[in-house]
Each structure stands twice: as C-alpha cells, then as structure tokens.
Amino acid sequence: MPDLIALPAVVYGPSISFDPIRTRSTSRMLGRRTETLLRGTPYWVATYAAGKLTTAEAALFDAFNMLASNGGVFAGYDPHRPRPIAYQGDTPLAGVKAGGGAFNGDALLQSITNPLAIVVNGLPIGFKVSPGDYVEVRKSPLVRSLHRIMAPATANAGGVVALSIRFALDTQTFAAGNTVHFEKPACIMEMDEGSYSLPKSWPNYNVQFTATELFFS
C-alpha cells in the first residue's frame, strides 16, 4: 500500500476546482432516439493552487512533491467547502455530541438504508447539513468514499441524521460501523504526473497541480 502523505496546510485559492467525473457514453440514433450508458465508478478530480507563498511554505510543497512523485497519496478535499456551509469559516467543527463527549466533525455510520441513503449518529443535537455539503465515509485511512449531500437535514435529539447522498456508496466495501467525517471530508488522491508547477520567483511563490482519486479496498 502507498504512503499517506499530508497535503500542505496553506491557504488555497483564490481559484481551485474540485469536481466529480461521471464517465458516460451517449449514442444519438435515427428516429431522434438517444441512449446514454453510465460506466464505472464516479471519481473526483481537483486542481489545487496557492499564491503568495512564503519561502517556508514553498519548502512544504517541495517536500510534498518529492513524496507524491515517489508514489505517495494524500487526502484531497475541497478547500472552499471544508465543512458544512452552516459552519463555514476558519474555525474547525467543535461542540458536544448528543450522547456526550467532544465533537470534532467525526461521527459513525449507523446504517445504510440503500446506496444513496445513509443514517449517521454521534452528532450534536441540531447539527445541520445542506445540499452541496460534503460527507466522507471511511473504512480505513486509505479506504474512503466522498459524497455530496442532496437534501437539507438536521440531527435529532439523539444526534442521529438521515442523509441523501450523491453518488452511490459501495456497499460491498463500506458498512455500518465505519466512521463518517464532516471536517475536511476527503478522498484518497494521487498527484497527476507532470502537473506540478512551482516557479522559483522570490520573494513570493505560486504553486499549482492537479490530482485524481484512487480507489483502495
């Protein structure tokens, strides 16, 4: 298994991208008929960029590039939406779980209603999620599934919430008892070969690279 390396902790942007790829083929036929075939498992792609880096921050990316180019993978997330929009800002998620104990964005997969609907517990009372928020299901550090939430939902008095998600969760890999994450929810990514750019432009540096999700089970 590859090494899991850390994405440098800097301010990314102002322009980045983090989007899913849904592989499909469409056939337009005689008689105004159209057939679309969805193929494979959807996966995430990202473009990371950061400007006005200090020399010390640029050094972090030098080290990251060396490790990533040597087969390392990282937990890629959307820097513009690192937590639910109701809690957006520079402060990580915090609070108290409904059943007691500190909350830091981690929860538990209670059950899978179907591949597009899951039930999560271990949340604070009234914890809110909105359409477009990210949620990560994690079996192990390298086995993760990243989704977006399709409908608004609020945790009940027991800290439990039912979520509608996009895309389908792989129920052959993930199961009740796995952890669920709302703080920097991520998938495992590999930096695309040849995409890394960090020109040596003192005193400020600008970095950019692209990455694609990898699957492990």
Side-chain angles (χ1 to χ4, degrees):
M1 298 291 274
D3 293 328
L4 183 60
I5 61 178
L7 187 66
V10 301
V11 176
Y12 289 93
S15 178
I16 63 103
S17 66
F18 197 92
D19 298 292
I21 298 293
R22 178 67 150 168
T23 305
R24 69 183 184 186
S25 59
T26 300
S27 178
R28 297 165 180 84
M29 298 172 288
L30 290 173
R32 296 184 58 81
R33 292 178 55 206
T34 302
E35 290 184 354
T36 298
L37 175 66
L38 300 176
R39 296 182 286 109
T41 300
Y43 60 94
W44 295 90
V45 296
T47 298
Y48 287 98
K52 298 183 178 179
L53 299 174
T54 65
T55 302
E57 289 174 329
L60 293 177
F61 280 99
D62 278 338
F64 174 79
N65 181 44
M66 288 189 292
L67 295 170
S69 299
N70 200 36
V73 298
F74 66 95
Y77 69 97
D78 185 346
H80 285 190
R81 295 286 292 271
R83 56 194 63 90
I85 198 67
Y87 311 97
Q88 190 70 297
D90 296 330
T91 303
L93 290 172
V96 179
K97 298 179 181 180
F103 176 69
N104 61 0
D106 299 344
L108 194 69
L109 182 59
Q110 178 173 296
S111 61
I112 301 172
T113 306
N114 61 61
L116 295 172
I118 60 175
V119 179
V120 178
N121 66 26
L123 296 168
I125 299 171
F127 184 77
K128 295 181 179 180
V129 294
S130 304
D133 288 342
Y134 293 91
V135 59
E136 173 200 334
V137 179
R138 186 185 304 175
K139 179 180 178 181
S140 69
L142 286 176
V143 183
R144 310 185 189 202
S145 187
L146 182 63
H147 305 264
R148 299 200 87 166
I149 293 170
M150 297 294 292
T154 302
N156 63 22
V160 178
V161 67
L163 301 177
S164 173
I165 59 174
R166 182 194 188 219
F167 296 95
L169 181 66
D170 180 1
T171 55
Q172 293 186 356
T173 301
F174 300 93
N178 291 163
T179 57
V180 176
H181 303 269
F182 296 94
E183 177 67 29
K184 293 183 178 178
C187 63
I188 298 301
M189 296 188 125
E190 174 185 58
M191 186 170 68
D192 296 334
E193 183 178 1
S195 69
Y196 181 82
S197 173
L198 200 168
K200 305 298 184 182
S201 179
W202 188 86
N204 297 125
Y205 303 81
N206 299 290
V207 67
Q208 180 171 310
F209 63 93
T210 62
T212 302
E213 183 179 10
L214 293 180
F215 298 133
F216 298 98
S217 59

